[in-house]
Amino acid sequence: MAEIRPYWALAAAAALGFRVLLLILFPGDLHLGSRPEVATPLTSLRRLSEGYWLKQSSMSPYAGSMYHGSPLLLPILGPLTAERTDGQPAHFYCSLLFVVVDFVTAMLIRATGQKLLLSRRQSLEYLNLPKLVKNSANINAGDLASLIYLWNPLTIVTCLGLCSSPIDNLMVVLTIYAACSRLAPLAAFGYVLATHLSLYPAILILPVILLLGYGPDAPPAKLFLHKSSNSDGKDPSNNDESRSAVTTHKPVRCFSRRPVVHFMIWVSIWSCYVLFLCSIYLKGLGGLQEMFKKTYGFILTVGDLSPNIGVLWYFFAEVFEFFRNFFLIVFHVNILFMILPLAIRLKHRPCFLAFVYTAISAMLKSYPSVGDSALYLGLLGLFANELADMQFSFFLFFGYIGVSLLSPVMHNLWIWRGTGNANFYFATGLVYSCLQTVLIVESVSTMLKHDRMLRKHVIA
Amino acid sequence: MASLRPLSRGPFLLLLIFFVFSLSLLRPIQGNGGSDGGGGGEEFSEELLLKPLPDRKVLAHFHFRSAAPPSAANGRHHHLFPKAIAQLVQKFQIRELELSFTQGRWNYERWGGSDPISTRNAKPPGVELWALFDLPTEEIDPTWKNLTHALSGLFCASINFLESPTAYSSPYWGFLSNNGNLRYGALPREAVCTENLTPWLKILPCRDKAGIASLLYRPSIYKGYYHSQRLRLLSSESKGIILEQTLTVVLQPNSYTSSLLSSSDAQLQPSWSLSQLFKKEMTGKCVLAKSSKIFLELERGLLEKIVEIRDDSWIGKFDGQVGSSLYEYKVDNSNENKPLDVGITWKLPLVWSSVHAPFQASRFLMGSGNERGSIAISLQSTQTHDQYFGDLNDCTVPVIVLQVVPWYVKVYYHTLQISIDGKPQTLSDVIEKIQVTPSEDKLLPGTLEIMLRFPCSMLSATLSLDFDKDSYTLTNILQMSYPDYDVSDDSSLLHNLQEKYLVRSYTEVLLVPLTTPDFSMPYNVITFTCTVLALYFGSLLNVLRGGLVRREIISQKDSARPGLVPLYFLGYLPAKE
């Protein structure tokens, strides 16, 4: 597996080439932009161009219930979605932009993976576990994860599907990457924009602070304490030349406040800046209050109940109005409830924590799309070494394939042919949620087992 | 150059409209018996227009007009004018109001599209209500709500469903130019029947007991192909209140006799008379009416050779609109013994056509499935432009399109495409003015008003707009004001304007089938969803806690304190391996 590296550039180029090829071969016949799996009311570019059109005719882009995205996307993507007369299909340049965005995301994932790999190697060597290093560390997680991200059919569909999810994903990945490299301003930029674009990345604040404070993922701090107390007491018998170079200067991890404070300051600067830009753009058209109501309010109140791959739309279509607010609170709190327990148990692995948060919000968000899945599946590759002995991976793999094949069929039967029933489509949504649940639970449990195994090795 | 001809024709046509409806008021009335009935300057007049239509049908248009002088003159008391209406006008500060109940669809192609009868009385099926208020903007919406409730009480109809903001819109200039004080609403699925007609007749001073209204025998008028009862109010400080009530019916005369005759006679248009059409006899006027008249409208030149008028007691003959003659009858002369029985008998078969509007408009839904689709409005030229506009080469026709869509049809206005004679056009070339009020979910219908300018030589034009369909929720269906979830609420209105000459036509009502989730088992959905969430929450929490509990057990094993046996066992229970 160490031989990924030579082929990485080739595989990545092939993935990008494949996208461009699809773009040229099917210049508008794929109709992915109107698939409920791909484009949600929040990310659909069709709605974005409606918002852009409204803005052009000097109305608020949020007039009507069409556009719910960020006002900052309008001046960037709006002109690209407008009808073209130079022979190219309307959204050609927009899709090309998304291909580039996907590539940047993949590069950032790769760089994050390399940071994680380095940190893992250092800490394992410090813990004096050369066996583990030799066993598994030779999977280059960064290369693997970026290739998973690039070749994932869900990512390809999202990239060509005319929705703004690739940009949302880029911002999340940028946040994680910058936090891993302890670049507070960049991390703050990514964090603020990701939150601004899709709200849910707001919960990434914990992993980002942990990353900035403690550095990338490592085994639990207790093991280091144990090790250092051992090595203080005893003569360091197996102090080889190989590890001394990297590990001797590595201290026991302690929380460094400086980058975190920097991060906080930069977050406030960037958010003021973003709000300022938004208010300039929306000047005289309803202002920021309308923006908050139409974007975050729309996300939190689940206003649009058109079918999507989640379960909330059907739930809120069926539930009586009287209980609606109660269930809204329950579902949103479900995301928030898990933040703290996870952060306590996984505080030594902030990157993994970020992955779990992303997966949870992808499952429980009001308007889920395959773009969110593409993101967390890509991030999952970063932990290939730790999660090597995950259970149910076969079941999960084929579950994802099965659902992604069945769901469009059920949708077609219900909406287009009129022979199916909404319940069948909803059932695929339920199965999909279950699969994501299993994935999250299993990956967390495997990670905890991995730490336990490390402890066993260290103590033994 | 192009605008000279229409200018000269416009006033002429307007004058004719005025002529048909108000001539009787201007002319001195000879020997009227009821002028003492209307005191205080209030007056009432009744008229009936009969006209054979090219497709063997007959148009009967009843027109009742009541007028009250400015209210200051006689306080709150009325002799003739309906008090309920006067109160309505006073309470809601109505400047103008029009309410119509319609069954059937006006056939613009066969029954005419540009004559005053069709442009004023062809209404969309169901109920249509619009009102202009003389109020500050913020008071208009609450007043409209109250007005709908008052009207629904007055006319025994579900007009109150127009109170919800999703049901009405406020077009700025697409319907009538106004300063934002116009409200327009329509209920296409409202069933119209005698229960709506009875209160409408109650407003008349003689009800249906005497005068022209006594012809309104319910079985015969509801048997017709088109039935539209309309109430129009105009009020102003100077002129007081004017109430116009019209009832337009298109009836099929009984033609048993002709069908029994030879085949050549079967080509003949059916002959008819008042008593035959309405199964009632005209036996005198309403004594309270200032004037009471019946008009018969025929194509000019028909009388001598082709048509024979059954009752030739007509007292006047006028030239009506393009190519027709009007014969006037006075109802005063009739009584129980000598009923007035206006009618015609055809002697020779004749094929003719009504006056077409310059364009024929129709509207379609395109696309299949319940997810998205598009609306197309097509305008077909009727090749009668020279009649209206004269020189075809460098003239243009302004056309206003008003399209109101309910919120559950989410229109992408940026997808508006216009093509002329099959060739797509740049929007800015054709659109003169555009006003879009996008729809808000569950709050506001979308309104699109476009003023287009087409070349006169154009044969056909198409406008298309894409939309997504929203799906219904359980609460929506429960709260739905009327079982109307498959009807696209409004008919689009098209006006062809040529200077002062305005033709208005309504297009078809569209059916939009919507996605409906399966509402048979909401509890299953709720329990399944909650189960999945509980699974996620429970198992994740268990995984997170699992290691802790185990470690506790290990440490307890290590310390082996026998005193804590119950706790020791408790520790095993939730442990996860």
Side-chain angles (χ1 to χ4, degrees), chain A residues 357-409:
Chain A
Y357 284 175
T358 318
I360 287 178
S361 59
M363 181 177 78
L364 292 177
K365 75 197 305 191
S366 357
Y367 311 100
S369 71
V370 291
D372 306 310
S373 308
L375 174 65
Y376 72 73
L377 288 177
L379 291 179
L380 182 67
L382 289 176
F383 312 101
N385 295 317
E386 288 85 349
L387 301 182
D389 44 0
M390 193 166 117
Q391 282 178 323
F392 300 124
S393 47
F394 179 82
F395 165 74
L396 280 173
F397 182 71
F398 283 99
Y400 268 83
I401 290 180
V403 165
S404 39
L405 292 180
L406 263 187
S407 169
V409 171

Side-chain angles (χ1 to χ4, degrees), chain A residues 232-416:
Chain A
D232 284 351
K234 285 185 233 165
D235 183 25
S237 54
N238 45 0
N239 193 357
D240 314 0
E241 296 305 310
S242 60
R243 72 176 173 100
S244 57
V246 268
T247 51
T248 40
H249 64 83
K250 186 181 170 93
V252 172
R253 292 148 61 92
C254 60
F255 193 78
S256 49
R257 284 203 187 82
R258 238 177 108 83
V260 176
V261 174
H262 276 190
F263 172 74
M264 286 302 181
I265 294 169
W266 276 105
V267 162
S268 49
I269 292 173
W270 282 119
S271 35
C272 287
Y273 186 57
V274 163
L275 289 181
F276 174 68
L277 285 182
C278 289
S279 67
I280 285 183
Y281 192 72
L282 296 173
K283 200 171 185 182
L285 295 174
L288 288 182
Q289 203 183 353
E290 193 193 19
M291 181 192 92
F292 284 125
K293 204 180 136 211
K294 290 284 183 155
T295 53
Y296 301 154
F298 182 72
I299 293 172
L300 293 178
T301 54
V302 198
D304 191 310
L305 298 178
S306 47
N308 58 39
I309 51 171
V311 286
L312 295 199
W313 66 275
Y314 205 52
F315 186 88
F316 284 111
E318 300 262 333
V319 83
F320 292 102
E321 194 71 26
F322 181 73
F323 299 108
R324 194 185 154 90
N325 289 335
F326 168 72
F327 279 111
L328 275 178
I329 294 170
V330 167
F331 287 141
H332 291 303
V333 160
N334 234 324
I335 301 180
L336 298 180
F337 259 172
M338 269 305 164
I339 290 180
L340 216 56
L342 279 168
I344 292 170
R345 282 314 300 276
L346 293 168
K347 60 178 179 298
H348 53 283
R349 293 194 180 275
C351 255
F352 183 70
L353 189 62
F355 153 74
V356 175
Y357 284 175
T358 318
I360 287 178
S361 59
M363 181 177 78
L364 292 177
K365 75 197 305 191
S366 357
Y367 311 100
S369 71
V370 291
D372 306 310
S373 308
L375 174 65
Y376 72 73
L377 288 177
L379 291 179
L380 182 67
L382 289 176
F383 312 101
N385 295 317
E386 288 85 349
L387 301 182
D389 44 0
M390 193 166 117
Q391 282 178 323
F392 300 124
S393 47
F394 179 82
F395 165 74
L396 280 173
F397 182 71
F398 283 99
Y400 268 83
I401 290 180
V403 165
S404 39
L405 292 180
L406 263 187
S407 169
V409 171
M410 292 306 175
H411 187 261
N412 186 293
L413 282 183
W414 173 38
I415 299 280
W416 294 95

Side-chain angles (χ1 to χ4, degrees), chain A residues 115-132:
Chain A
K115 294 244 181 281
L116 286 181
L117 198 66
L118 190 68
S119 140
R120 174 184 155 83
R121 203 168 283 158
Q122 282 177 353
S123 44
L124 284 187
E125 281 175 5
Y126 180 80
L127 290 175
N128 199 7
L129 296 168
K131 189 176 67 178
L132 280 175

Side-chain angles (χ1 to χ4, degrees), chain B residues 299-343:
Chain B
E299 299 291 304
R300 200 175 301 157
L302 281 187
L303 184 58
E304 291 76 26
K305 294 171 203 156
I306 301 162
V307 171
E308 188 184 328
I309 292 189
R310 204 168 279 184
D311 192 331
D312 55 0
S313 64
W314 45 276
I315 56 152
K317 177 186 171 191
F318 321 99
D319 284 342
Q321 67 190 84
V322 196
S324 74
S325 316
L326 277 171
Y327 299 88
E328 182 188 335
Y329 293 83
K330 281 187 129 0
V331 183
D332 310 40
N333 306 333
S334 63
N335 53 41
E336 296 277 339
N337 303 325
K338 195 180 86 141
L340 181 65
D341 198 14
V342 181

Side-chain angles (χ1 to χ4, degrees), chain B residues 504-523:
Chain B
R504 178 177 289 173
S505 64
Y506 291 84
T507 57
E508 301 87 344
V509 171
L510 295 181
L511 278 163
V512 182
L514 289 179
T515 318
T516 13
D518 182 3
F519 292 122
S520 57
M521 27 191 193
Y523 291 104

Side-chain angles (χ1 to χ4, degrees), chain B residues 46-269:
Chain B
E46 50 179 12
E47 283 159 21
L48 167 65
L49 174 83
L50 295 164
K51 181 184 169 188
L53 293 172
D55 59 342
R56 309 170 71 87
K57 299 192 179 65
V58 180
L59 170 86
H61 176 70
F62 295 82
H63 182 254
F64 306 96
R65 185 178 188 277
S66 313
S71 51
N74 57 350
R76 291 181 179 182
H77 298 287
H78 297 280
H79 299 278
L80 279 177
F81 197 82
K83 194 173 176 183
I85 299 292
Q87 282 173 340
L88 207 70
V89 171
Q90 257 163 16
K91 179 142 193 242
F92 302 120
Q93 294 292 312
I94 295 166
R95 183 94 58 75
E96 260 186 277
L97 177 145
E98 185 171 348
L99 171 67
S100 66
F101 297 88
T102 310
Q103 248 185 355
R105 202 176 109 70
W106 182 264
N107 192 333
Y108 286 96
E109 201 179 343
R110 288 180 171 172
W111 303 340
S114 66
D115 51 326
I117 295 282
S118 60
T119 48
R120 285 178 166 223
N121 297 292
K123 288 284 167 191
V127 167
E128 187 203 49
L129 171 70
W130 62 265
L132 266 172
F133 296 93
D134 198 4
L135 283 168
T137 324
E138 66 275 9
E139 287 175 36
I140 290 181
D141 284 331
T143 314
W144 166 267
K145 270 185 195 177
N146 291 336
L147 173 70
T148 55
H149 279 270
L151 286 174
S152 95
L154 263 177
F155 292 101
C156 288
S158 18
I159 306 169
N160 57 320
F161 290 142
L162 287 176
E163 73 162 344
S164 112
T166 54
Y168 66 88
S169 60
S170 44
Y172 292 98
W173 42 265
F175 190 75
L176 271 181
S177 32
N178 63 87
N179 334 313
N181 54 352
L182 175 82
R183 294 293 177 271
Y184 173 91
L187 297 171
R189 284 275 284 257
E190 178 75 7
V192 178
C193 201
T194 48
E195 60 182 14
N196 306 116
L197 183 67
T198 312
W200 184 85
L201 286 171
K202 265 190 185 170
I203 300 174
L204 299 174
C206 298
R207 308 218 168 161
D208 57 344
K209 303 293 178 222
I212 289 175
S214 66
L215 287 175
L216 295 173
Y217 178 59
R218 309 295 191 280
S220 53
I221 59 169
Y222 281 103
K223 215 170 64 183
Y225 287 79
Y226 177 79
H227 169 99
S228 172
Q229 92 191 43
R230 200 168 68 101
L231 177 130
R232 189 178 157 87
L233 268 173
L234 271 166
S235 110
S236 65
E237 293 292 323
S238 53
K239 289 182 186 160
I241 312 171
I242 296 168
L243 168 68
E244 276 181 16
Q245 287 173 268
T246 63
L247 178 77
T248 312
V249 281
V250 173
L251 300 173
Q252 173 86 66
N254 265 338
S255 52
Y256 288 118
T257 46
S258 64
S259 63
L260 290 175
L261 294 175
S262 65
S263 62
S264 69
D265 286 345
Q267 304 284 320
L268 275 181
Q269 295 267 346

